[in-house]
């Protein structure tokens, strides 16, 4: 069947999943978040094994049939994650998808995602998907729909935006949902739990000094280690907390990992819709200087910092075994900032810091 994003969210709250899902549209943020929600629900329901198939030039569609026939090695349920950026599988792909949908394998969910979509993409294969499962066509929001979307997203982040602030933000982002999401995340860090009116929003956007956490990420990704470390020192001196700061760094690192994993960087950058667009050059240079494994190590280091700050690092079981849990708050904070310096230097491409991450 064909459904909407809202209906999909309601379905995912139900007891089970359909055998096949196609989530397609030219609005990358909505496609990404819908697919992430489905993956998360599948994991909750025991679909613990996941196989990713990236469709690019020369892709062998026999791999889909092989995946359907193969037995799960580690779990009774599995997810096949088929990424079809163009939304056009071609003759062989369409046939493979029709065959798959005719007899979907048991205890398996096929998720197909596409970053381009129109009525022209539809055909026998999409009809087969609708018979076997669910097709979610994600259409770009209309200008008049954007304020409601911004208000709902802000509320989900603990922000209360006035009607005037929502209108101002809608004008600023010009329909770019990824840009809107980034601005809302920034505002949530700066004004969590507070009411934000148009004047406050204008001041927050204009006051560059209050965006140090975001300038930190930009300086590190741009390869300016000295400036990035200087910002870290300033944030620490001002009493900033590490966990909110890590949130933004994690967002940027995940973007870099997705870009580094993409077969076509140009297409991936268009999908991410980095905002403002001038930042694309910074991301391109960072990708040239480091490969996927580097960004994976950076993400692991960010996770390590989070565990240190929250008291879930490797010292916890040691002290628990000794029967005593001393107050390690000061040590954790100092160690967390020290590990953050290593992470920032590694993101900036400092060879010594990258070497230390490899050994950590």
């Amino acid at each position: 069947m064909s459904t909407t994003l809202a209906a999909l969210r309601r379905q995912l709250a139900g007891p089970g999943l359909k055998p096949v899902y196609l989530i397609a549209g030219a609005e990358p943020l909505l496609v990404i978040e819908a697919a992430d929600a489905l993956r998360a629900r599948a994991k909750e329901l025991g679909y613990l094994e996941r196989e990713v198939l990236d469709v690019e030039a020369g892709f062998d569609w026999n791999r889909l049939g092989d995946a359907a026939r193969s037995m799960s090695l580690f779990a009774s349920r599995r997810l096949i994650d088929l990424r079809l950026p163009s939304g056009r599988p071609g003759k062989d792909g369409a046939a493979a998808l029709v065959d798959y949908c005719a007899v979907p394998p048991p205890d398996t969910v096929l998720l197909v995602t596409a970053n381009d979509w129109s009525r022209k993409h539809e055909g026998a294969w999409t009809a087969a998907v609708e018979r076997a499962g669910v097709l979610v066509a994600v259409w770009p929001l209309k200008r008049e729909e954007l304020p409601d979307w911004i208000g709902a997203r802000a509320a989900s982040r603990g922000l209360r935006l006035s009607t005037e602030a929502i209108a101002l933000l809608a004008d600023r982002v010009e329909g770019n949902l990824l840009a809107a999401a980034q601005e809302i995340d920034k505002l949530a860090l700066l004004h969590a739990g507070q009411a934000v009116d148009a004047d406050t929003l204008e001041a927050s956007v204009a006051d560059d000094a209050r965006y140090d956490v975001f300038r930190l990420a930009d300086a590190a990704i741009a390869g300016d280690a000295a400036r990035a470390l200087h910002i870290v020192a300033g944030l620490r001196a001002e009493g900033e907390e590490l966990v909110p700061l890590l949130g933004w760094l994690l967002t940027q690192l995940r973007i870099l990992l997705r870009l580094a994993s993409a077969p076509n960087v140009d297409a991936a950058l268009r999908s991410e819709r980095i905002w403002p667009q001038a930042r694309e050059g910074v991301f391109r240079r960072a990708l040239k200087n480091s490969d996927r494994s580097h960004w994976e190590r950076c993400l692991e280091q960010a996770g390590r910092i989070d565990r240190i700050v929250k008291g879930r690092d490797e010292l916890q079981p040691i002290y628990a075994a000794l029967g005593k849990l001393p107050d390690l708050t000061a040590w954790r904070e100092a160690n967390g900032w020290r590990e953050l310096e290593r992470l920032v230097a590694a993101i900036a491409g400092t060879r010594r810091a990258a070497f230390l991450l490899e050994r950590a």
Side-chain angles (χ1 to χ4, degrees), residues 124-165:
W125 71 279
T126 59
V129 168
E130 290 189 80
R131 287 193 296 271
V134 178
L135 186 158
V136 184
V138 180
W139 305 109
L141 291 183
K142 298 176 182 177
R143 179 61 181 82
E144 60 270 21
E145 296 173 329
L146 186 57
D148 285 344
W149 184 89
I150 289 174
R153 191 174 187 88
S156 73
R157 267 58 174 180
L159 270 179
R160 288 176 289 132
L161 298 181
S162 70
T163 302
E164 294 77 13

Side-chain angles (χ1 to χ4, degrees), residues 154 157-160 187-196:
R157 267 58 174 180
L159 270 179
R160 288 176 289 132
L187 290 166
L189 284 173
L190 296 170
H191 305 286
Q194 302 176 21
V196 177

